[in-house]
């Protein structure tokens, strides 16, 4: 089984994905890391040197490449991945891939991003009010795609272990 985690930035896709993969004893893949390895550039460098359109095309190619693999894994997508290049349709077309939306409220995302803004170039310069507006706008735009997932797990007011347990019971 392939388990694909999606959701907005700071929803816990990579953190939860790593813990879940360890518990299930299957590999964890972060799509952004996979792209960086394949392209031999950071995501920021790809955006700067080749632009977003190039990045989104490559992201689509690498997503399909991973989903076509025979082995089981946990895959963490970038926050925007489901929203571009028909990626959500591609994901849903693979019967052995279970998509899980880690649903997170605006307030939880803003709290998490406030603590890690320096690691997030997209939001690093925004104050808390601007950040909340930015997140609300993006979540509104992206929720159409996120909500097409096979499963939804609410991660608000839960610690990592509770979220992982929710996922394990949902997927078993």
């Amino acid at each position: 089984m392939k388990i694909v985690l999606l959701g907005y930035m700071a929803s816990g896709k990579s953190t939860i994905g790593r813990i879940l993969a360890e518990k299930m004893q299957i590999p964890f893949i972060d799509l952004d890391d996979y792209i960086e390895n394949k392209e031999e550039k950071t995501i920021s460098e790809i955006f700067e040197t080749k632009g977003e359109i190039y990045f989104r095309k490559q992201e689509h190619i690498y997503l399909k490449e991973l989903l076509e693999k025979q082995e089981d894994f946990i895959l963490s997508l970038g926050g925007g991945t489901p929203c571009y290049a028909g990626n959500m349709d591609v994901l849903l077309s693979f019967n052995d891939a279970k998509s899980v939306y880690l649903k997170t409220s605006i307030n939880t995302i803003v709290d998490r991003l406030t603590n890690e803004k320096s690691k997030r170039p997209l939001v690093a310069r925004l104050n808390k009010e601007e950040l909340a507006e930015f997140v609300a706008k993006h979540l509104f735009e992206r929720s159409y795609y996120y909500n097409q997932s096979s499963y939804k797990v609410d991660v608000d007011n839960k610690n990592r272990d509770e979220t992982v347990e929710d996922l394990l019971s949902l997927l078993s």
Side-chain angles (χ1 to χ4, degrees), residues 17-159:
R18 283 186 182 90
I19 298 168
L20 188 62
E22 191 176 307
K23 285 202 182 262
M24 295 179 74
Q25 297 184 336
I26 59 175
F28 170 75
I29 304 165
D30 181 292
L31 183 59
D32 284 349
D33 292 345
Y34 187 83
I35 293 168
E36 288 180 347
N37 287 334
K38 290 284 197 171
E39 295 287 315
E40 298 179 346
K41 286 183 167 63
T42 66
I43 300 297
S44 296
E45 289 169 339
I46 296 168
F47 268 77
E48 286 169 23
T49 60
K50 299 195 173 183
E52 184 176 5
I53 292 171
Y54 173 84
F55 171 78
R56 295 298 178 190
K57 284 180 182 174
Q58 296 311 106
E59 179 182 55
H60 178 76
I61 290 165
Y62 295 131
L63 174 63
K64 281 178 67 174
E65 182 178 293
L66 285 167
L67 291 172
E68 288 168 354
K69 289 180 181 277
Q70 296 306 309
E71 63 267 11
D72 295 343
F73 56 76
I74 311 275
L75 175 63
S76 167
L77 301 184
T81 306
C83 312
Y84 296 94
N87 288 335
M88 200 64 208
D89 292 333
V90 167
L91 175 55
L92 294 172
S93 73
F94 283 84
N95 293 331
D96 64 338
K98 306 282 184 227
S99 54
V100 182
Y101 171 24
L102 298 182
K103 192 171 183 176
T104 318
S105 71
I106 295 166
N107 289 338
T108 299
I109 292 169
V110 169
D111 288 346
R112 290 177 181 179
L113 286 176
T114 300
N115 297 330
E116 54 182 63
K117 276 185 9 179
S118 62
K119 298 178 204 160
R120 309 278 187 168
L122 205 58
V123 297
R125 291 183 177 82
L126 303 178
N127 66 38
K128 196 161 184 166
E129 188 177 295
E130 293 167 328
L131 182 59
E133 188 174 322
F134 180 87
V135 170
K137 178 182 176 284
H138 268 145
L139 266 182
F140 176 75
E141 293 168 349
R142 294 177 175 188
S143 64
Y144 168 77
Y145 300 98
Y146 294 163
N147 282 310
Q148 293 178 48
S149 296
S150 309
Y151 304 98
K152 293 166 196 65
V153 174
D154 192 336
V155 300
D156 285 339
N157 305 312
K158 291 181 189 161
N159 64 36

